[in-house]
Amino acid sequence: GQIASAFARMHRLDLRKLRERIRECTLEGESWSLKDLWRANPSPLGIVDLLGYIQIAHDDGHPMAADEWDIVEWSPPDRHGVTMRARVPRITFVPKATSRPSGRKPR
């Protein structure tokens, strides 16, 4: 009962969709902090997408401060009036060309 219901409510992490949001924000050559990107593109999935952004920052080489933090907030759609907060490393999403070490695609 309850376990099956919890699995039915789970949402799949879509890293491709999150990378597309990052690409759209940085398309004009500007860098965006995770906090600002989150504020501009709030996610109803909350922690699932937040962890996805952190994974992308790590995998794609975006700068991540080891000793600086930001607070991001969201309101889960199933918990009216509740604001969730998470402390995350300060991440800066940079345009794709500058995040790739060589600046070129591998052959």
Side-chain angles (χ1 to χ4, degrees), residues 2-99:
Q2 283 185 328
I3 293 174
S5 178
F7 276 116
R9 287 191 309 270
M10 287 182 69
H11 297 279
R12 189 175 188 284
L13 176 58
D14 188 347
L15 292 177
R16 186 176 52 187
K17 180 180 76 175
L18 299 180
R19 278 191 172 94
E20 180 63 23
R21 279 193 199 136
I22 294 166
R23 190 189 69 76
E24 288 172 1
C25 288
T26 60
L27 195 59
E28 300 294 321
E30 294 182 30
S31 296
W32 282 62
S33 70
L34 172 57
K35 183 177 181 177
D36 290 341
L37 186 137
W38 188 266
R39 193 177 298 136
N41 300 279
S43 170
L45 300 185
I47 197 72
V48 173
D49 278 350
L50 192 56
L51 292 172
Y53 281 125
I54 294 168
Q55 184 67 50
I56 290 169
H58 177 267
D59 291 350
D60 295 358
H62 295 280
M64 187 179 319
D67 57 351
E68 296 180 61
W69 304 89
D70 285 320
I71 302 294
V72 296
E73 300 180 338
W74 69 96
S75 297
D78 58 342
R79 299 182 66 191
H80 300 290
V82 173
T83 298
M84 304 294 290
R85 289 179 186 85
R87 186 175 93 149
V88 295
R90 180 153 301 149
I91 294 171
T92 304
F93 291 107
V94 296
K96 193 163 179 71
T98 58
S99 66

